[in-house]
Amino acid sequence: MLRWIFAALLALPPTLAPAHAEEPWPSRPITILGGFPNGAGTDIYARKLAEPLSRALGQPVVVDNRSGAGGNIASDAVAKARPDGYLFLLGTAGTHAINPGLYRNLPFDALRDVTHVTLLGDVPNVLLVSPEKRPQYRGCEDLMAAARARPGALNYSSTGNGASTHLAAAQFAAATGIELTHVPYRGQPGAMSALLAGDVDLFFNQTGPSIGPVRQGQVRALGTSTLSPVQALPGVPTIAAACNLPGFETSTWYGLFAPPGLPSAIQARMNGEISRILSTPEFRQWLVETQGITPPDDLTPEGFRRIHERDIGRWGEIIRQSGASVD
């Protein structure tokens, strides 16, 4: 009897046979998780990317932010999620290259507990002062002269202890041989408000949220942390040139991660679609002229992983030199 039943099942037409094949990907909405608040640079980028990506994949791409612990809450959620292609993380050099050296006990491995999808762009910093509260700082030489005259008297805001805005200033102080006092704030708005109020002397902010205040004359940009001038800030020199620091450079990056073990076919599809979006003139113009972000040269997952590995070591050394840590 059993042999007869098995033979009958094998003879069924394919349309009547039990269906065990997995449904094609994607067949439902995809979420891009961010580790910082609404309105942060990662949130702005993710929402800008979500629209064309939704059209390309034929499914909604929604953005969800779980802020806290320097981005570690969202990073940990993705590190432990199912690798089914429906949850991704818009991570940063801060979350995955700086935090490993900054936090003593991360609940995930920043390099192993991810699948690299694609790099999304380099994010430079810009050295800002207040023309109203500190009119004497008309250029980098003025700032350095004041710092040398009063070691430790000049202070700078940052978006948090160990953030790229903190470490960029620490790099600058080490490169110039000056002593600056660090005043951390909880995020970009607080750090910028402190600069505008005259509570601090300078702020190494990310380029994107600095463009508007620079163009409106609220802040003065003394230099960018890139080797080449930033197109979105015409007339602003590089710190390397303005401060006579040949080779000075400090920037971070945005990148798209997935949980570890993501099927290679899904990784390749996501990488291909995002690479095409980033290569369009419209999206590149938005990156360069509106956000001050440099589009990546290498969009492959392998290239992203190499940069990630390199920067864990690079930022780890900067953290050791600065003495920054978070318990």
Side-chain angles (χ1 to χ4, degrees), residues 41-42 45 49 90-94 117-125 206 226 249 251-257 274-275 278 283-284 286-288 291-300 304 307 310-311 314:
T42 50
Y45 197 122
L49 180 64
L90 203 154
T92 70
V117 178
T118 186
L119 194 64
L120 296 172
D122 289 323
V123 186
N125 293 95
Q206 289 188 339
T226 49
E249 181 183 20
S251 63
T252 55
W253 41 256
Y254 293 160
L256 194 73
F257 295 105
I274 293 174
S275 296
L278 266 60
F283 203 92
R284 291 180 70 88
W286 177 80
L287 283 178
V288 173
Q291 301 300 306
I293 295 175
T294 304
D297 293 325
D298 189 344
L299 290 165
T300 65
F304 182 18
I307 289 173
R310 179 204 68 188
D311 278 6
R314 183 173 71 88

Side-chain angles (χ1 to χ4, degrees), residues 215-296:
R215 290 176 177 172
Q216 295 161 16
Q218 293 179 294
V219 296
R220 177 179 293 140
L222 301 187
T224 60
S225 67
T226 49
L227 293 179
S228 300
V230 174
Q231 185 174 329
L233 294 171
V236 178
T238 65
I239 291 172
C243 307
N244 193 26
L245 295 173
F248 182 86
E249 181 183 20
T250 176
S251 63
T252 55
W253 41 256
Y254 293 160
L256 194 73
F257 295 105
L262 182 74
S264 58
I266 297 178
Q267 179 192 34
R269 174 79 187 279
M270 279 292 281
N271 175 271
E273 299 295 358
I274 293 174
S275 296
R276 280 188 281 274
I277 293 168
L278 266 60
S279 298
T280 62
E282 296 80 10
F283 203 92
R284 291 180 70 88
Q285 182 180 24
W286 177 80
L287 283 178
V288 173
E289 297 184 8
T290 305
Q291 301 300 306
I293 295 175
T294 304

